[in-house]
Amino acid sequence: DDRALNAELFKPLIERQKDYCRHEIRYLTKDGGYRWVEVFARLILDDQGHVLGTAGTINDVTDRHLVIDALKTSEARMRSIMDGALDAMVTTDDRGRVIEFNPAAERIFGYPRDAATGRFLADLILPPRRRSGENAVALTGPKAVLNRRIEMTLARADGAEFPCEFAVTRGEADGEILFTAHLRDITLRREYER
């Protein structure tokens, strides 16, 4: 079913708009399966410039496509989890800079993801009077606060303060230490407790 596409990809070579072509395409195997191949072809010309034929290589790149597809599926699954979470999920690097900021975090704190990414989490969500010392350190995941639920007063982008429950977990990706804060606005719970 990729024959038309294959012909289209070879067309610039056949029409001599290019000296070579390189592309990846699926080929149907004898058993009815598919293999991804990388095709490299060039024209063979005689001394007068007339086309004698083509020469090239076909390399099986199916495994690479399987890995890429698995990665895309994994990323889509992770994005679905992050985007669908009711609680704010904010991931930082080991210095406390935001690298992930889910939609719940956008709703709770009032910052768009793009505005939060790259900034220090403490600068985004701590009230100004608490942006130093142990409060700021707690958000970057020292051992004393890892994997525990903690309640703290945090601030929205507009400065409004609210009670929040959060937990910080530590992870690692490609040798980089990451911290993910799971944050929940507990304003309603506090009101019911009164």
Side-chain angles (χ1 to χ4, degrees), residues 60-90:
D60 188 332
V61 293
T62 302
D63 290 344
R64 182 174 71 209
H65 276 266
L66 293 174
V67 168
I68 290 168
D69 289 347
L71 181 60
K72 286 178 183 176
T73 299
S74 177
E75 287 174 349
R77 187 178 301 122
M78 184 57 65
R79 179 59 45 209
S80 176
I81 291 167
M82 291 286 287
D83 289 353
L86 298 177
D87 292 338
M89 294 174 67
V90 181

Side-chain angles (χ1 to χ4, degrees), residues 109 121-122 124-131 135-136 138-139 150-156 159-166 183-187 190 194:
F109 294 104
L121 180 59
L124 292 173
I125 68 174
L126 285 178
R129 69 183 182 285
R130 294 187 171 196
R131 289 187 183 158
N135 293 312
L139 294 172
I150 297 171
E151 291 184 9
M152 180 183 276
T153 299
L154 298 180
R156 302 184 202 288
E161 296 183 13
F162 66 99
C164 185
E165 175 184 83
F166 74 93
L183 305 110
R184 177 179 295 163
D185 182 341
I186 57 171
T187 303
R190 287 279 177 87
R194 289 183 192 169

Side-chain angles (χ1 to χ4, degrees), residues 8 16-17 55 88 110 178:
E8 190 66 29
R16 302 198 55 190
Q17 297 168 359
L178 305 173

Side-chain angles (χ1 to χ4, degrees), residues 91-112:
T91 301
T92 69
D93 62 17
D94 61 347
R95 297 182 323 166
R97 288 192 186 272
V98 174
I99 56 176
E100 281 293 338
F101 202 78
N102 77 339
E106 291 179 313
R107 287 190 301 277
I108 291 171
F109 294 104
Y111 294 99

